[in-house]
Amino acid sequence: MRTSLAVMTMVMGVGWGQEAAVIPRPVSATNRPGVFHWKPGMKLVVDARSAAAGRLLAAALGTPAEEGAAKAAAGIRVRVDPALQVPSDEGYVLDVGPKLISILGKGPAGAFYGAQTLLQLMPAGQGSEVRCVRVKDYPRFAWRGMMLDTARHFMPKPAVLKFIDLLAMQKLNVLQLHLTDDQGWRIEIRKYPMLTGTGSMRKETREGHENKRQGFDGKPHGGYYSQADIAEIVKYAQDRFVEIVPEIEMPGHAQAALAAYPELGNTNQKLDVFTQWGVNKNVFNVNEKTILFLQDVLDEVMQMFPGKFIHVGGDEVPLDQWKASPAAQARMKQLGLEEVVELHGYFIRRMDQFITAHGRRLVGWDEILEGGVDKSATVMSWRGSKGGIAAAKDGHDVVMAPTTHTYFDYYQAKDPKEPLAIGGFLPLEKVYSFEPVPAELTPEQGKHILGTQGQAWTEYMPTPSHVEYMLFPRLTALAEVAWTPAARKDYADFRKRLPGMEQRWKALGVNYRPSGN
Ligand code: ACM
């Protein structure tokens, strides 16, 4: 099975199929006569703004990238041309002629994506022949994301770096790192060392599915990213045009922080870092000191992450402890609030004001709409598309991340041999069928849909290799949803292009789920 796939891919990879086998499918690709042969001694010449594209090609082809306007007689030339007729800096034109390959990016990201496309036209691990073609390409959406939960199971730094490379290969440009939750606090905050000192380690983990209540594994699990680790991750991502969106969960999913600093909670109870899965009642209190504590945390987070968006979670906040807490009740009275859920709105608005005052933008899961937030807040619609529709109609920017099409912790096949997953069923074709802009929106409202994002919640993905199994190839399908014009999407065609990508993953040691199964 694998052998015949490999043979087929060699043929398709050289480009003899109907159309260039690239994922996500380009806006346009026109075959031309002839073949380019990459030979030792040929030159790879880039301009200063195409350095990232140059590094990518140099590593893949084993040839140094030379900077300058050298007139290479034959070879590959990469350049940024801001006058290029494409609608985004991420757009590019790739011309493969018999003697010369030219990549023009409208911006540095465009040059980099042109280089990614070129590598997909070369057979995995060889890079010798490319059929002549002209590709003109640019993304449909600005937010093409993936969320990785590093809290439920810690994902070591080398795995995060590899993951960034895999996202960039698919022209994805956002990695949301879910850094804090009940089961672990995974980012060093210098002002509050116990967040990682206590909060990064749990004494054991639920065994099997939470619903079965089978017991615990008896093994400590932990880990966190130092600020130096974060600097390395951020730089690595920037070099590949991926923006890291840090997520610091509040006011729920807070038990690891409460284990470290019990005064941030509502009950004075001594808590351990949580060892189970599911929604947890232990939430932050709404005292001014707690709000200022979390703003201090966000201050350090904003120093570490230079990107525009800061995610504050906001999902799954049981109100029970606030209802029972005299301090929370007094706070409501002081603020003139009538419903407990308005405390949630107050909490998130305080964070939004803080983040906005620092020139950044808050993003939160769709529950943030329930307590009332300002238009400045971007909404991530996960409980279906409803929240996203309401938010866009109301003037909020929206990222579509519904469970129905983007939750890769759901099963991908009915095979009883599939590894334990949280539940649900999300096969590849359903991911591919996703349309991020709901028909209910007017064109003007539709502009608020920034894009879409896949989710890797890791309760049942204990290792990076298991994450890869759950994400590939589904993430590839979502990349095409996020990049390719809707009219160019075609599932049967996508399936024909997938074996080429699988060969590439195989060469990179990615634990993908073979699509033939
Ligand atoms: C979520 O899945 N609780 C955002």
Side-chain angles (χ1 to χ4, degrees):
M1 180 63 193
R2 281 298 178 83
T3 316
S4 64
L5 263 186
V7 169
M8 192 170 85
T9 305
M10 301 275 282
V11 175
M12 288 176 48
V14 184
W16 303 113
Q18 280 297 302
E19 189 182 296
V22 177
I23 300 177
R25 194 181 197 191
V27 171
S28 79
T30 312
N31 290 330
R32 302 197 311 182
V35 177
F36 175 93
H37 296 270
W38 173 260
K39 297 194 198 78
M42 281 184 167
K43 289 199 183 303
L44 166 61
V45 182
V46 302
D47 68 0
R49 298 190 67 203
S50 306
R55 282 192 297 271
L56 178 71
L57 292 171
L61 301 173
T63 306
E66 298 172 27
E67 217 180 271
K71 296 205 174 25
I76 302 175
R77 265 193 259 169
V78 192
R79 184 158 76 73
V80 167
D81 177 4
L84 198 68
Q85 291 298 305
V86 286
S88 138
D89 279 358
E90 297 181 292
Y92 65 91
V93 171
L94 162 66
D95 254 311
V96 179
K99 293 223 159 49
L100 182 71
I101 294 179
S102 150
I103 297 171
L104 289 180
K106 189 173 173 88
F112 180 76
Y113 291 141
Q116 291 284 7
T117 296
L118 174 60
L119 291 179
Q120 287 194 31
L121 295 174
M122 294 175 157
Q126 293 184 30
S128 51
E129 297 190 341
V130 193
R131 186 163 97 174
C132 294
V133 67
R134 179 182 163 87
V135 177
K136 184 173 179 178
D137 201 14
Y138 49 86
R140 179 176 175 202
F141 291 108
W143 187 303
R144 306 181 301 278
M146 185 67 220
M147 185 282 295
L148 178 64
D149 172 7
T150 66
R152 272 53 177 269
H153 283 101
F154 180 61
M155 298 290 147
K157 183 179 67 183
V160 176
L161 301 183
K162 178 184 179 192
F163 196 55
I164 289 167
D165 279 318
L166 296 174
L167 299 188
M169 252 173 87
Q170 315 267 222
K171 304 185 175 82
L172 294 167
N173 66 348
V174 174
L175 171 58
Q176 178 177 331
L177 285 179
H178 184 77
L179 291 164
T180 71
D181 214 303
D182 300 309
Q183 298 85 359
W185 184 283
R186 307 274 175 237
I187 180 167
E188 178 191 11
I189 301 297
R190 291 195 178 133
K191 188 160 184 184
Y192 302 116
M194 296 313 288
L195 285 171
T196 45
T198 297
S200 71
M201 184 63 72
R202 62 176 178 262
K203 66 175 193 283
E204 58 187 353
T205 301
R206 168 69 77 197
E207 216 159 32
H209 201 285
E210 183 65 34
N211 293 348
K212 295 231 163 99
R213 297 276 194 272
Q214 282 166 331
F216 296 88
D217 67 1
K219 293 184 218 146
H221 177 86
Y224 68 91
Y225 308 108
S226 67
Q227 295 207 356
D229 289 335
I230 295 291
E232 189 180 337
I233 291 169
V234 165
K235 169 78 169 70
Y236 196 88
Q238 277 176 334
D239 284 347
R240 289 153 183 80
F241 303 96
V242 172
E243 177 169 329
I244 309 274
V245 175
E247 182 184 359
I248 306 293
E249 269 273 17
M250 60 187 84
H253 291 276
Q255 188 163 319
L258 302 184
Y261 295 97
E263 64 271 26
L264 303 177
N266 296 279
T267 65
N268 286 324
Q269 193 193 346
K270 170 90 189 75
L271 294 165
D272 286 333
V273 178
F274 202 37
T275 57
Q276 305 172 40
W277 311 128
V279 178
N280 181 321
K281 288 188 178 168
N282 294 305
V283 302
F284 287 119
N285 65 43
V286 196
N287 302 345
E288 190 60 19
K289 269 190 174 164
T290 298
I291 290 191
L292 295 178
F293 178 105
L294 289 167
Q295 291 183 343
D296 286 343
V297 169
L298 291 178
D299 205 24
E300 286 194 35
V301 165
M302 286 189 279
Q303 286 174 42
M304 280 184 264
F305 296 92
K308 193 84 183 159
F309 288 93
I310 305 292
H311 203 303
V312 298
D315 59 316
E316 298 179 322
V317 186
L319 301 176
D320 314 56
Q321 290 188 346
W322 291 347
K323 282 182 187 154
S325 151
Q329 295 301 313
R331 186 74 153 151
M332 280 179 66
K333 210 160 166 192
Q334 174 209 5
L335 295 167
L337 305 180
E338 283 170 13
E339 304 285 339
V340 183
V341 71
E342 293 175 75
L343 274 180
H344 183 280
Y346 174 76
F347 198 107
I348 299 293
R349 278 198 308 280
R350 287 290 302 274
M351 297 305 155
D352 189 23
Q353 286 155 8
F354 185 75
I355 288 169
T356 303
H358 284 75
R360 310 293 186 91
R361 294 190 59 193
L362 174 142
V363 50
W365 300 106
D366 59 54
E367 284 93 332
I368 66 171
L369 290 168
E370 289 167 12
V373 278
D374 297 329
K375 305 270 179 286
S376 44
T378 295
V379 174
M380 200 166 259
S381 187
W382 73 280
R383 295 174 301 176
S385 298
K386 280 192 323 295
I389 293 168
K393 286 188 171 171
D394 213 24
H396 294 272
D397 282 342
V398 171
V399 176
M400 282 295 187
T403 54
T404 50
H405 295 81
T406 70
Y407 268 48
F408 302 146
D409 54 343
Y410 284 19
Y411 284 98
Q412 55 191 319
K414 298 273 193 200
D415 188 331
K417 293 200 287 293
E418 282 298 303
L420 181 71
I422 198 161
F425 181 50
L426 177 54
L428 183 62
E429 185 165 10
K430 184 158 185 199
V431 177
Y432 194 88
S433 74
F434 184 46
E435 170 45 57
V437 182
E440 291 92 327
L441 299 182
T442 64
E444 208 46 45
Q445 292 164 345
K447 287 187 193 147
H448 282 297
I449 308 294
L450 301 182
T452 184
Q453 174 173 295
Q455 276 49 247
W457 298 110
T458 56
E459 288 96 328
Y460 302 100
M461 300 181 207
T463 62
S465 165
H466 197 133
V467 170
E468 288 173 2
Y469 181 82
M470 298 304 281
L471 264 51
F472 299 101
R474 288 186 289 185
L475 176 57
T476 320
L478 193 66
E480 191 146 310
V481 171
W483 178 280
T484 304
R488 289 271 292 162
K489 275 175 63 198
D490 176 337
Y491 184 64
D493 186 86
F494 169 78
R495 288 300 299 247
K496 282 193 220 145
R497 286 176 278 128
L498 197 48
M501 193 54 69
E502 291 182 328
Q503 286 308 306
R504 224 156 278 280
W505 291 328
K506 202 169 166 183
L508 293 169
V510 177
N511 182 31
Y512 64 95
R513 183 180 192 283
S515 61
N517 292 359

